[in-house]
């Protein structure tokens, strides 16, 4: 299905993309998986249509030809079954990368993720490690309507026992996987569907690289724009627009949604005294709520204005473009919220 | 209420045949021939509708995920012919054919593809979420297997209230691997629900061939293991499909509980727009195209009874009008974004 | 399983309970269901062991004898299947009460609840109503360990299209069901396992009764203690302790978790200028985060101190009593948080 | 690595038999008799352990949910006898018997019931979450059906790394209705996983009798529909259980993929402590008690070979020591609450 996402046509895009120094999220994630598969026999990729089809979004295109159907393993439509099998294989010492086609379908595997992956280590008194990496596409923006447009990062970020990552840059798309696989605990990686085709220059291999700290992608004085993943480009564009307008916005990219890097967030707010949190998930009880609450706890006396939340509208995402656009954060909404914050 | 098996003509005519009926009916045609002509008309309408969707999608006029039914039309029209207006239908994201065969107005379906306020789901759903409660069409569901428990619930309500009617649920071969298929099959058989399970086995779940989805590829046999009547049908032959569906519906109405039909069919197009269809052998696709359900059924008609060219023109004209209407139709105002979230419009 | 909860032994307790003017949560919920079953043929109860067993917590004890196995319908262990069937039956015009034994198992049905129950009305452009009521037990406190002690109210409270209720008083246990069944939209009712045996005098049938507004259970000047459901008794005890100590605490019972009654919350904080939110769910991304964020938005300039969150510790709940007690909010924790707030 | 079927005595002896082995072995006993005596010892230990649990629970010493295995012991000891130490086991919340048969030290299991730091899960899990990775016992799982996909994953790892060993998953008749059973059975059969599926059919899922859980109550036949060898076994007869398990294990090790065994058994006690057991006819319970697996097996031994009274005393003594140790053992300090949440102790 996903393959029909206009924005995510794996088969057409790669061809048309300049293959020189430019690269895309899709290619970087594929390169990361390829490297992991080459480096460690225990690593394998499992999910619906990851093999012959190349992945619903074409992320694993070509891998089955190189690594074979055993390590690039197509699964039946059985989300709870194959995610649980990935968890079990990890318990047995493998390093599975389990791809859930989209976060929408991950609800069918949530029992396995919460009650087993996140819980086995503790229930067993430290005996059972679950070094599994679960990748899933998230987000709206391609007119896929109510059952294919969720952003449930906030729920996963609330589960003790797992690590949750949300790459928003090509470098993170490329280099977050290795440390995730090295983590003895379960790691969930969210890939925003609208980023797969995002291109840019290939990032150099970083000297040191962590998956725990947030990154300040742009420094500013007047307001902190805090976001991650698919919203990051919009936030950077908003910061640009605000600058043109004399408002100096700092952009904090969370990168890790669990654990949250409260120190970096608080430090930024301590500098700017104002915060806007941008997350595509539903506003009530979403990730933005936690970040707003944290800021109010960590930087209460630094805040000069209420924390602004720019979130998804609380509707099952509608199909028509004009309504979908209205349902998820747009650059203009971020700019407006920042203006309210700076008063 | 008990009901007798209704003759074909008593069933809700499809829009296309409605259009046709204005033309003077060929006097020499038997009821049976008229019925088959109606099925051909319905298939032609679905085909014309979807071929137009391809153009509109390529032109960027309609968006989202579009899953074409082209090649599988005999299943929708054959099954629908066995259903009566007060039966219910639950479908998937590949449901243009089911909706049109059910009689959802072409204009409303096309407007939905456009996301217009005149769409059969007010434009909120798009291709994967066509609804028409007046016709008891309970929708496209884009979660594979997600419609199965809902269908069981519709059937349960009839069972509990003593209404003798059928709920028909369409789903694919891939859906049979989902836990929800298993849970629904067991519930339905355990509770003797008036549920018609129609598995459209088109041999692939996206890019995964049947034999890599299922350890036991004889899906009818798998279903039979729940203790319900189940058999496989040539899904390219509308007559065979209708006959099987009637037998199943009669069995259900007779109180024999759920029935499972494995419709052996094939999609001529890729899983969805832009799927490059790398995983299927072109020769295989060609072999199936030779069994295109439309000419297959037309060939069964008495010589001269079916002028496919003429009938296609009529279907195309119906689609043309639907496109024109959709183009002209209004979209919902952005202020109404929160409409339909709850009855309070919370 | 649940039947073995010491605190929730339906068969032993009712006998030992004084049957005179005193009543219990269990009895009140049963009375509410009985009334609904008598009043409307479309109402039926469906779930695992609701019939002959009387419900895992004995809530439906005796109902199958009165209403028969058709309307008090035992289901196989198929959470997604029977919850989906309840949704479908509601679509068809019935008024099902679906009991999910505990919230822990509701993860297996979450796809049906989110992608169908909460979404059908919108996806169909207003055509498909889903008047289903889903009851589930929630919470820890009975040493049931990591897979039987979740509090996921916060997740459900974040789903557009459903109403979420959390009765914390005998009166709400008794009278919330009828309006929930009258609601044309899906309603999820959380029953805290530790409340079933809570007893008190039978509440009079209220003149008017709503399921949308929060209730001030105790008025106070110095700090607002905001909570719901199973934590309410602890919060009232804390308020008592604080009073003995010269701290006047106001107790706000949310009652409805979605929609949240922001007005009542804000009004209380406007009076007290300090807030402590108490919820048994995991702190990060839980219900308390949303309430803290709301307060900071609605009452920013009224707040004299950061909002305190007293929540479940971020661990899969451990089995031993001393560790479980440490993992969920206790009266002492609430008192301490209130003291921090009033400074 | 391939491996030969190991003779019984090469298997890890259970603590009870270890205790026993200190006593001079009766010289006239055949290997077979010794093996059966060992199984009786294991069953007596499980029985004694659980009867003590009832006392401790009633006294309020241990808490949480306690699901007794009393009456089903033949399944645990018979299946375990067919497994080798490098096989893996995944179980349910009714797993005292599986853990003890597997050789998890009684002291560690009893300490876990107490929630003590010396428990086999450090006291974190309690009755429903017994773990012992050293013995490849991957735990009690309290989500019905939740262990099945995990077991498939353990088997998948062996399949991918070419280790020729078995993963055994225990689950109940009720679990077969869960979608996860269906998904796991299909995956295992599709991928030829070395998985032994042991369904403990005790005729009830909590208070719900088999015929109200399943449309098709012949569970072995249902499993066979996935294309795997499956048959029913007298679960009260430890010898029949072991024979069937050996056949299945041999088939799995020979590369024939997953096998399903339906163990026809019965729980003599209620579903859990405090379940008043309203839903079962006392006469039915009595009939089954007449087939108590312990005397049933003892009767097969040569006259005089088994002194049940004496053996029971030994088992009770083992449990006494375990209780004493558990009583004396320390609990984890509250400061360690966050321990084991993640390797970082985040
Ligand atoms: C639960 C779930 N998993 C995965 C998907 C993505 N997806 C959409 S259609 C499809 C293939 C379904 O195959 P089948 O059931 O045979 O129906 P067909 O498309 O062939 O008609 C997949 C994997 C989904 N929509 N829902
Ligand atoms: C997913 C899930 N649903 C419900 C429960 C509550 N529950 C615990 S055991 C049980 C009965 C299981 O029956 P069966 O599988 O036959 O195993 P048995 O207890 O008879 O050994 C139920 C309903 C649960 N623990 N998990
Ligand atoms: Mg298919
Ligand atoms: Mg059972």
């Amino acid at each position: 299905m996903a393959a029909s996402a206009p924005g995510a046509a794996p088969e057409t895009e790669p061809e048309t993309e300049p293959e020189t120094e430019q690269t895309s999220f899709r290619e970087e994630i594929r390169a990361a998986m390829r490297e992991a598969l080459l480096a460690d026999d225990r690593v394998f990729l499992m999910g619906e249509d990851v093999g012959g089809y190349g992945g619903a979004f074409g992320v694993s295109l070509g891998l089955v030809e190189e690594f074979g159907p055993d390590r690039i393993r197509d699964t039946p439509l059985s989300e709870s079954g194959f995610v649980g099998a990935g968890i079990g294989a990890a318990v047995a010492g493998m390093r599975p990368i389990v791809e859930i086609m989209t976060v929408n379908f991950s609800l069918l595997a949530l029992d396995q993720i919460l009650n087993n992956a996140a819980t086995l280590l503790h229930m067993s008194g430290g005996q059972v490690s679950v070094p599994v990496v679960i990748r899933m596409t998230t987000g709206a923006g391609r007119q896929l309507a109510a059952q294919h447009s969720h952003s449930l990062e906030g729920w996963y970020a609330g589960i003790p026992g797992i690590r949750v990552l949300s790459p928003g840059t090509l470098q993170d798309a490329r280099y977050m996987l290795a440390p995730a696989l090295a983590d003895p605990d379960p790691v969930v990686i969210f890939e925003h569907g609208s980023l797969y085709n995002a291109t840019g220059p290939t990032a150099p291999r970083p000297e040191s690289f962590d998956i725990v700290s947030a990154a300040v992608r742009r420094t500013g004085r007047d307001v902190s724009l805090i976001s991650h993943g698919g919203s990051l480009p919009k936030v950077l564009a908003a910061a640009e627009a605000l600058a043109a307008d004399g408002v100096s916005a700092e952009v904090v990219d969370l990168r890790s949604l669990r654990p949250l890097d409260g120190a970096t967030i608080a430090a930024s707010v301590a500098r700017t005294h104002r915060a806007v949190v941008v997350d595509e998930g539903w506003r009530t009880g979403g990730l933005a709520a936690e970040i707003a609450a944290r800021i109010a706890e960590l930087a209460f006396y630094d805040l000069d204005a209420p924390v602004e939340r720019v979130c998804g509208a609380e509707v099952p995402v509608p199909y028509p473009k004009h309504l979908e656009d209205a349902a998820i954060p747009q650059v203009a909404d971020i700019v407006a919220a920042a203006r309210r914050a700076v008063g | 209420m008990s009901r007798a098996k209704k003759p074909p003509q008593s069933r809700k005519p499809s829009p296309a045949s409605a259009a046709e009926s204005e033309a003077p009916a060929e006097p020499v045609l038997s009821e049976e021939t008229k019925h088959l002509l109606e099925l051909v008309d319905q298939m032609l309408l679905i085909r014309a509708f979807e071929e137009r969707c391809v153009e509109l999608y390529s032109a960027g006029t309609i968006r989202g995920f579009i899953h074409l039914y082209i090649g599988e039309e005999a299943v929708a029209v054959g099954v629908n012919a066995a259903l009566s207006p007060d039966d219910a239908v639950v479908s998937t994201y590949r449901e243009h054919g089911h909706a049109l065969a059910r009689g959802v107005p072409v204009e409303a379906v096309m407007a939905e593809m456009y996301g217009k306020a005149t769409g059969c789901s007010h434009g909120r759903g798009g291709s994967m979420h066509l609804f028409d409660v007046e016709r008891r069409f309970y929708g496209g569901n884009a979660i594979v297997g997600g419609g199965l428990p809902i269908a069981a619930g519709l059937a349960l309500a009839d069972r509990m209230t003593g209404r003798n009617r059928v709920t028909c649920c369409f789903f694919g071969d891939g859906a049979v691997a989902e836990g929800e298929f298993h849970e629904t099959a067991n519930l339905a058989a355990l509770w003797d629900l008036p549920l018609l399970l129609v598995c459209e086995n088109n041999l692939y779940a996206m890019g995964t061939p049947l034999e890599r989805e299922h350890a036991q590829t004889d899906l009818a046999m798998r279903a039979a293991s729940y203790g319900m009547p189940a058999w496989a049908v040539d899904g390219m032959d509308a007559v065979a499909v209708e006959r099987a569906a009637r037998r199943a519906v009669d069995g259900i109405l007779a109180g024999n509980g759920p029935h499972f039909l494995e419709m052996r069919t094939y999609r001529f197009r890729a899983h969805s727009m832009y799927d490059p269809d790398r995983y299927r052998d072109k020769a295989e696709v060609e072999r199936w195209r030779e069994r295109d359900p439309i000419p297959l059924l037309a060939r069964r008609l008495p010589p001269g009874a079916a002028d496919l060219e003429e009938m296609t023109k009529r279907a195309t004209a119906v689609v043309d009008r639907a496109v024109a209407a959709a183009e002209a139709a209004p979209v919902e105002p952005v202020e109404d974004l929160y409409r339909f979230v709850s009855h309070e419009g919370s």
Side-chain angles (χ1 to χ4, degrees), chain A, chain B:
Chain A
M1 57 30 126
S4 67
E11 315 69 15
T12 51
E13 313 288 335
E15 280 63 81
T16 65
E17 281 163 9
E19 294 300 349
T20 55
E21 73 287 309
Q22 287 290 96
T23 185
S24 71
F25 257 70
R26 176 179 295 107
E27 290 165 273
E28 292 302 279
I29 296 166
R30 184 185 305 140
M33 289 199 287
R34 193 168 170 274
E35 185 173 67
L37 286 156
L38 287 169
D40 186 343
D41 288 348
R42 299 170 307 171
V43 173
F44 67 101
L45 173 67
M46 168 162 73
E48 291 159 5
D49 288 306
V50 295
Y53 196 99
F57 296 85
V59 173
S60 52
L61 208 61
L63 292 182
V64 70
E65 288 75 4
E66 182 171 2
F67 298 98
D70 225 46
R71 293 183 72 194
I72 308 298
R73 182 173 290 262
D74 281 328
T75 67
L77 277 117
S78 304
E79 283 76 9
S80 195
F82 73 75
V83 171
I87 294 165
V91 167
M94 303 295 282
R95 293 291 180 276
I97 302 171
V98 181
E99 175 178 301
I100 301 178
M101 237 181 224
T102 79
V103 66
N104 313 282
F105 319 141
S106 75
L107 293 175
L108 292 162
L110 195 46
D111 165 65
Q112 283 295 325
I113 296 171
L114 196 164
N115 282 320
N116 285 335
T119 308
L120 281 166
L121 182 68
H122 186 265
M123 285 195 305
S124 66
Q127 292 179 80
V128 178
S129 296
V130 187
V132 68
V133 170
I134 300 172
R135 294 173 42 240
M136 55 181 100
T137 308
T138 187
R142 289 161 298 138
Q143 287 190 251
L144 306 184
Q147 292 181 328
H148 277 63
S149 304
H150 299 101
S151 291
L152 300 174
E153 290 88 327
W155 286 8
Y156 285 92
I159 301 176
I162 65 174
R163 182 186 300 284
V164 180
L165 305 176
S166 177
T169 65
L170 287 164
Q171 193 184 40
D172 281 346
R174 175 71 174 83
Y175 295 106
M176 273 182 167
L177 182 64
L181 282 165
D183 190 325
D185 298 318
V187 179
V188 175
I189 303 179
F190 286 97
E191 301 165 3
H192 197 290
S194 67
L195 290 181
Y196 285 123
N197 293 326
T199 55
T202 311
R205 184 177 295 271
E207 292 305 305
S208 79
F209 189 83
D210 77 63
I211 52 173
V212 297
S213 51
V216 174
R217 299 294 182 194
R218 174 187 179 121
T219 58
R221 290 177 319 280
D222 305 331
V223 58
S224 299
L225 307 182
I226 300 157
S227 189
H228 68 95
S231 296
L232 188 61
K234 296 175 179 177
V235 170
L236 289 166
E240 207 51 45
L242 287 161
D245 219 45
V247 177
S248 164
E250 180 152 297
V251 175
V252 178
D253 174 6
L254 294 168
R255 303 182 66 243
S256 168
L257 306 185
R258 182 180 189 90
L260 279 169
D261 178 2
T264 299
I265 296 169
S268 177
V269 174
R271 282 191 294 275
T272 63
H273 307 291
R274 291 168 161 79
V276 176
V277 185
V278 183
D279 176 64
E280 208 178 285
W282 291 312
R283 176 190 183 90
T284 297
L287 183 70
E290 176 60 31
I291 293 164
R294 288 267 179 115
I295 292 172
E297 284 165 351
L298 300 170
F300 184 74
Y301 299 99
D302 293 317
L303 274 179
D304 289 347
V307 176
E308 292 280 342
R309 285 189 277 172
V310 180
C311 301
E314 302 202 16
V315 302
V317 178
Y319 161 68
K321 178 131 190 18
H322 67 296
L323 293 181
E324 182 183 44
D325 287 347
I328 60 177
Q330 303 298 344
V331 173
D333 306 316
I334 302 166
V335 168
R339 287 241 181 65
R340 280 195 301 277
V342 296
Chain B
M1 122 252 191
S2 104
R3 73 180 182 181
K5 187 199 279 188
K6 299 202 180 55
Q9 62 276 26
S10 81
R11 300 180 180 287
K12 178 193 310 303
S14 80
S17 58
E20 165 190 47
S21 60
E22 278 119 48
E26 175 64 66
V28 300
L29 299 184
S30 69
E31 284 309 323
E32 173 59 9
T33 302
K34 282 192 202 145
H35 175 59
L36 297 186
L37 274 169
E38 182 181 316
L39 297 190
V40 173
D41 267 322
Q42 291 182 19
M43 290 197 281
L44 286 170
L45 177 69
I46 297 167
R47 186 72 58 97
F49 179 92
E50 290 201 315
E51 274 163 354
R52 185 65 53 90
C53 286
V54 175
E55 296 166 22
L56 294 167
Y57 192 88
S58 311
T61 311
I62 60 178
R63 282 261 150 260
F65 286 158
I66 311 287
H67 305 85
L68 299 175
Y69 196 63
I70 293 175
E72 307 186 25
E73 295 93 342
V75 177
V77 303
V79 169
N80 179 71
L83 298 175
S84 83
D86 56 351
D87 293 331
V89 175
V90 175
S91 183
T92 68
Y93 45 86
R94 194 183 298 286
E95 88 280 34
H96 304 148
H98 306 135
L100 293 170
R102 185 65 183 168
V104 182
V106 200
E107 296 71 15
V109 179
M110 185 57 80
E112 190 59 36
M113 307 295 292
Y114 273 76
K116 295 298 185 83
T118 54
C120 61
S121 303
H122 254 270
R124 299 275 166 155
S127 168
M128 300 195 290
H129 305 300
L130 306 174
F131 284 83
D132 186 342
V133 167
E134 198 193 301
R135 293 179 177 76
R136 305 207 72 222
F137 188 77
Y138 291 101
N141 198 306
I143 302 298
V144 170
L148 284 157
I150 302 298
L154 287 160
L156 174 62
D158 287 336
R159 183 84 160 66
M160 291 181 77
T161 54
R163 283 181 302 237
N164 198 23
R165 57 188 189 181
V166 172
T167 296
C168 170
C169 188
F170 293 97
F171 54 93
D173 46 290
V176 172
E178 292 280 6
E180 287 188 328
F181 169 77
H182 172 72
E183 297 186 359
T184 301
N186 183 46
L187 274 187
L190 184 65
W191 292 346
D192 278 324
L193 300 182
L195 182 64
L196 175 57
L197 295 166
V198 180
C199 177
E200 302 184 305
N201 180 2
N202 58 13
L203 301 178
Y204 292 85
M206 249 175 99
T208 307
L210 187 65
E211 62 276 13
R212 283 198 283 116
E213 298 166 40
H214 295 287
Q216 168 52 267
T217 54
D218 183 337
L219 301 181
M221 180 172 134
R222 288 240 49 262
S225 78
Y226 294 91
M228 68 175 90
W231 65 95
V233 182
D234 175 358
M236 308 307 270
D237 178 348
V239 172
V241 169
E242 178 175 357
R243 194 182 310 116
R246 282 189 187 286
R247 249 180 70 202
V249 167
D250 292 346
I252 293 165
L253 294 176
N256 301 333
H259 285 51
F260 177 101
L261 296 177
E262 177 193 343
M263 299 294 180
R264 301 247 169 103
T265 182
Y266 200 80
R267 54 172 163 76
F268 293 169
R269 303 299 185 98
H271 169 69
S272 64
M273 307 296 303
Y274 282 98
D275 163 11
D277 210 344
R278 274 200 218 78
Y279 46 86
R280 297 195 303 187
D281 160 17
K282 299 285 156 285
E284 174 184 294
V285 180
E286 274 325 304
R287 271 199 311 283
W288 280 92
R289 280 182 180 278
E290 284 159 20
R291 303 204 59 238
D292 186 322
I294 298 176
L296 202 69
L297 181 55
R299 281 198 294 274
R300 290 170 159 258
L301 293 167
D307 178 344
L308 276 188
E309 210 167 298
E310 182 51 35
M311 292 163 81
T312 305
K313 276 214 196 70
R314 279 205 301 271
T316 309
V318 171
V319 173
D320 289 338
R321 286 197 293 279
V323 168
E327 293 279 355
V331 297
E332 283 199 288
V334 173
E335 305 66 56
D336 287 1
L337 175 62
Y338 290 89
R339 202 174 160 203
F340 307 131
V341 176
S342 75
H343 283 75
E344 285 174 8
S346 85

